[in-house]
Amino acid sequence: MKILTDSNLEAIAKKVEAGIHVTDDDALAMLSTNDIMGLCSIAHNVKQKLHGNVVYYGVNMNLNYTNVCMLRCPLCAFSRDKHDADAYVLSLDDIAAKITQAGDIDEVHIVGGLHPDLPFSYYEDMLKTIKAINPTIHIVAFTAVEYDYLSKKFTIPLDELFTRFKNAGLGSIPGGGAEIFAPEIRQTIAPKKISGQRWLEVMAIAHRNGIKTNATMLFNHIEKPADIVDHLRHIRTLQDTTSGFKTFVPLVFHEEYTKIKAKRKEPTGYDIIRIYATARVYLHNVPHIKALWMYVGEKLAQVLLQCGVDDIGATYYDEKVVHSAGAKTPAWGSEPFLQHLIRDAGFTPLRVNASYVPTR
């Protein structure tokens, strides 16, 4: 039976099979095709060559140490001004209690805001506090936006900042803050945030210091297909130089309580599948493509495992950011729940930390 019905995809499949890198025009063709089964077959073949039948998942907790942020980006429903009634900052005792309460976890995922008053010691001590409770916990902490802010505020060069945080317990860096790199789009959705170019510079310095990172892309707001391709191209180009990105994570924008009106309140299944499958094919040099089940829903996350995705995300106890913007998924999922999703799709689940080191 002929799987591919789109002639553009036939040409792309031949390139991928021959080990030829696809072009920007190829990416645009994949982002517009209605031949979803054909597109997924190409992406799935890439995934199988890299990871076989394995699908990765994590057992972790989310730690949002503050919701105070000076940027107050229009795309964000989580941030608050410091005098708002529901603004908060977790003390180190609060953080210690949350880590202890989380129990059998392998990883802590830390993201906050740009708080104007927290001392530098707060950040170092946060990492040390977590490691003192459990030295084996892998800490994935602070976005490129937070690193840029801390470096400038405390006049500490990024190289030194990364060294100090590594010594305090930092394991790797999440991909947040990338949003979409296109300047004219970024100006509308996050006008005060660092530029896409600066985000890439911060990541390049982290990679130079031996710290692996994720890369993200926020879609379904006001971006165009060309902006998505531009974003992917920048990731692929930097990866050619540093090999520091371990995972690419597309994130569906949720508009509730934000100041941005999305292209669609709920993107179609085809919209989402096109993004993930195209990313898997285009980003030939990035090892992993992750679909956070909390962002796309557990049912579609399962489908995406047939479309190039090899990582379904994690348990994410106490997630706050996407749920502030209206995500309807639960705020956490149990390990058996994630294992069931993976096995039910015909794959073999493997529990790992953020560096893809097996933990069981």
Side-chain angles (χ1 to χ4, degrees):
M1 184 179 73
K2 184 178 180 181
I3 296 177
L4 300 173
T5 60
D6 181 332
S7 60
N8 289 321
L9 294 189
E10 288 182 358
I12 291 169
K14 289 177 181 175
K15 282 186 180 179
V16 173
E17 189 63 28
I20 299 170
H21 305 161
V22 298
T23 66
D24 289 5
D25 286 342
D26 292 332
L28 286 170
M30 288 187 280
L31 289 171
S32 63
T33 188
N34 287 323
D35 182 6
I36 288 296
M37 296 296 288
L39 176 59
C40 285
S41 72
I42 300 171
H44 186 63
N45 286 338
V46 176
K47 181 266 173 189
Q48 289 295 106
K49 286 181 180 178
L50 289 170
H51 306 290
N53 211 46
V54 169
V55 168
Y56 307 94
Y57 73 95
V59 175
N60 70 348
M61 68 165 288
N62 214 60
L63 182 66
N64 301 119
Y65 58 93
T66 183
N67 62 352
V68 174
C69 185
M70 298 191 305
L71 297 182
R72 303 305 315 272
C73 296
L75 63 79
C76 180
F78 173 69
S79 66
R80 296 290 184 274
D81 292 324
K82 69 176 184 178
H83 296 301
D84 286 347
D86 54 353
Y88 74 86
V89 177
L90 298 179
S91 69
L92 295 179
D93 287 342
D94 294 332
I95 291 169
K98 284 181 174 290
I99 300 298
T100 302
Q101 186 181 24
D104 180 29
I105 57 172
D106 303 320
E107 172 191 309
V108 181
H109 185 277
I110 305 175
V111 173
L114 307 191
H115 195 295
D117 301 330
L118 290 174
F120 186 78
S121 59
Y122 174 84
Y123 301 91
E124 277 189 312
D125 290 344
M126 183 192 316
L127 302 176
K128 292 174 181 175
T129 296
I130 295 168
K131 282 292 189 181
I133 294 170
N134 184 349
T136 68
I137 283 182
H138 184 97
I139 301 177
V140 189
F142 314 128
T143 66
V145 180
E146 290 166 283
Y147 283 110
D148 176 77
Y149 172 70
L150 295 176
S151 174
K152 291 173 178 171
K153 179 179 179 181
F154 298 106
T155 321
I156 302 174
L158 280 170
D159 286 301
E160 180 183 341
L161 186 63
F162 286 131
T163 298
R164 291 179 64 168
F165 280 7
K166 279 174 68 176
N167 291 338
L170 176 70
S172 57
I173 295 178
E179 320 308 2
I180 198 87
F181 293 145
E184 65 276 17
I185 305 298
R186 205 174 179 85
Q187 181 61 32
T188 298
I189 65 173
K192 295 182 181 178
K193 193 167 279 186
I194 60 173
S195 68
Q197 184 59 42
R198 180 58 179 164
W199 186 95
L200 290 161
E201 290 170 359
V202 173
M203 288 306 196
I205 296 170
H207 298 168
R208 185 171 74 205
N209 281 273
I211 303 172
K212 296 284 188 179
T213 75
N214 288 349
T216 60
M217 178 184 71
L218 192 69
F219 68 95
N220 192 50
H221 39 86
I222 58 171
E223 87 287 350
K224 301 179 289 298
D227 301 320
I228 292 172
V229 176
D230 172 77
H231 193 95
L232 295 176
R233 186 191 324 110
H234 281 91
I235 297 294
R236 189 165 81 170
T237 300
L238 180 57
Q239 182 74 342
D240 276 341
T241 303
T242 68
S243 299
F245 291 121
K246 50 187 171 59
T247 314
F248 181 66
V249 193
L251 301 171
V252 181
F253 175 64
H254 291 67
E255 70 168 11
E256 199 165 336
Y257 309 117
T258 77
K259 296 176 182 175
I260 301 296
K261 185 171 178 54
K263 289 190 294 188
R264 297 185 179 91
K265 189 173 181 62
E266 293 288 343
T268 68
Y270 272 35
D271 290 334
I272 294 173
I273 289 171
R274 289 187 191 103
I275 295 283
Y276 280 85
T278 299
R280 178 58 287 165
V281 176
Y282 187 92
L283 295 175
H284 60 88
N285 53 2
V286 176
H288 301 278
I289 303 294
K290 179 183 290 191
L292 295 179
W293 64 272
M294 271 186 193
Y295 277 70
V296 299
E298 59 267 37
K299 294 177 182 177
L300 186 53
Q302 229 182 354
V303 172
L304 290 171
L305 298 182
Q306 297 286 349
C307 304
V309 167
D310 63 272
D311 184 341
I312 201 169
T315 52
Y316 279 112
Y317 176 75
D318 208 21
E319 199 287 327
K320 295 184 184 304
V321 176
V322 71
H323 288 88
S324 298
K328 300 297 189 290
T329 49
W332 74 285
S334 70
E335 183 178 10
F337 164 72
L338 297 183
Q339 291 173 332
H340 174 65
L341 290 180
I342 295 168
R343 287 200 180 100
D344 191 48
F347 296 95
T348 303
L350 181 60
R351 176 172 167 172
V352 295
N353 65 22
S355 289
Y356 293 93
V357 175
T359 57
R360 288 291 188 277

